């Protein structure tokens, strides 16, 4: 079996990402391959997502809140991600889309949608 974006699994295995506005209104639902980088997926679907560092995890502009998921639906935050979240004064439950891989269905919100 060939790994998909660093994760073992079926190449065609799809997961669902639901994007919500802060008001709770569903903005869009997209389907991506398991293991996809969240930032890449959002950009691919034309969803506005910040990234003044071009997705290397140091600016914090792509911060999102994962509002609903199973415990294993996203990778654990790296030390770099935790440091950036803290340094940028973001809420401790924020995730940087550029450093987040989705492995299960998730719902997310961002301030700028």
């Amino acid at each position: 079996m060939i790994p998909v974006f660093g994760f073992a699994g079926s190449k065609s295995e799809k997961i669902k990402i639901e994007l919500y506005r802060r008001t709770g209104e569903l903005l869009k639902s997209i389907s991506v391959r398991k293991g996809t980088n969240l930032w890449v997926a959002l950009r691919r679907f034309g969803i506005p997502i910040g990234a003044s560092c071009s997705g290397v995890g140091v600016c914090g502009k792509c911060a999102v809140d994962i509002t609903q998921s199973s415990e294993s639906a996203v990778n654990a935050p790296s030390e770099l991600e935790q440091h950036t979240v803290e340094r940028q004064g973001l809420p401790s439950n924020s995730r940087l889309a550029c450093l987040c891989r989705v492995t299960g269905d998730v719902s997310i919100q961002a301030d700028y949608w």
Side-chain angles (χ1 to χ4, degrees):
M1 192 173 296
I2 298 171
V4 178
F5 293 104
F7 290 91
S10 170
K11 192 172 187 181
S12 63
E13 190 173 351
K14 296 285 189 170
I15 58 153
K16 182 172 65 171
I17 301 171
E18 290 185 332
L19 312 167
Y20 286 88
R21 299 182 190 279
R22 284 286 174 205
T23 61
E25 172 190 0
L26 178 64
L27 172 69
K28 192 171 206 172
S29 183
I30 61 175
S31 180
V32 299
R33 288 191 310 186
K34 182 178 182 176
T36 297
N37 176 282
L38 182 56
W39 184 74
V40 170
L42 295 174
R43 291 178 54 91
R44 186 175 299 144
F45 280 90
I47 305 299
I49 187 78
S52 59
C53 69
S54 298
V56 296
V58 296
C59 74
K61 301 296 183 198
C62 65
V64 297
D65 294 332
I66 300 195
T67 58
Q68 189 173 33
S69 71
S70 68
E71 189 173 314
S72 61
V74 293
N75 62 312
S78 66
E79 284 186 40
L80 171 63
E81 183 175 2
Q82 292 172 354
H83 177 72
T84 301
V85 166
E86 184 179 300
R87 184 174 42 82
Q88 295 296 333
L90 300 168
S92 61
N93 64 339
S94 293
R95 292 298 310 265
L96 301 182
C98 68
L99 298 179
C100 188
R101 295 213 177 258
V102 288
T103 56
D105 295 344
V106 297
S107 296
I108 61 173
Q109 287 182 323
D111 285 336
Y112 41 84
W113 292 330

